[in-house]
């Protein structure tokens, strides 16, 4: 029997909540790092080191321009 989309989503959210309460947040950290690297590689973000040697991300000029265009619609 096929499950509906909302049933699948409910199960997924329950699983995420369970894992989070069990202290497995590192999975989210890895996913976040992967997404930031991907968006940087694709040219949406740029990264640089701050004076404190912390990696900082910001939108590229083209990304900012695209968001301003969407905002103007």
């Amino acid at each position: 029997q096929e499950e509906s989309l909302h049933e699948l989503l409910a199960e997924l959210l329950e699983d995420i909540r369970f894992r989070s309460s069990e202290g497995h947040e590192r999975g989210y950290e890895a996913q976040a790092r992967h997404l930031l690297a991907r968006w940087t590689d694709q040219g949406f973000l740029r990264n640089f080191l701050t004076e404190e040697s912390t990696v900082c991300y910001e939108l590229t000029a083209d990304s900012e321009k695209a968001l301003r265009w969407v905002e103007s619609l």
Side-chain angles (χ1 to χ4, degrees):
Q1 170 184 344
E2 286 188 23
E3 294 183 51
S4 68
L5 182 58
H6 74 274
E7 290 170 329
L8 291 171
L9 180 57
E11 288 178 17
L12 178 62
L13 291 172
E14 188 64 36
D15 185 48
I16 290 170
R17 186 173 61 157
F18 174 77
R19 284 186 293 163
S20 178
S21 68
E22 293 293 314
H24 295 286
E25 294 89 2
R26 289 209 179 279
Y28 295 114
E29 290 178 27
Q31 184 178 12
R33 284 191 240 288
H34 171 75
L35 288 172
L36 288 170
R38 182 176 169 190
W39 295 334
T40 301
D41 291 345
Q42 292 174 338
F44 300 118
L45 299 175
R46 73 176 193 95
N47 61 357
F48 57 93
L49 289 176
T50 64
E51 291 178 9
E52 297 82 23
S53 297
T54 304
V55 178
C56 187
Y57 293 89
E58 68 182 17
L59 291 171
T60 61
D62 288 339
S63 293
E64 288 181 8
K65 184 177 176 182
L67 290 174
R68 279 194 297 275
W69 176 78
V70 168
E71 190 176 57
S72 73
L73 297 177

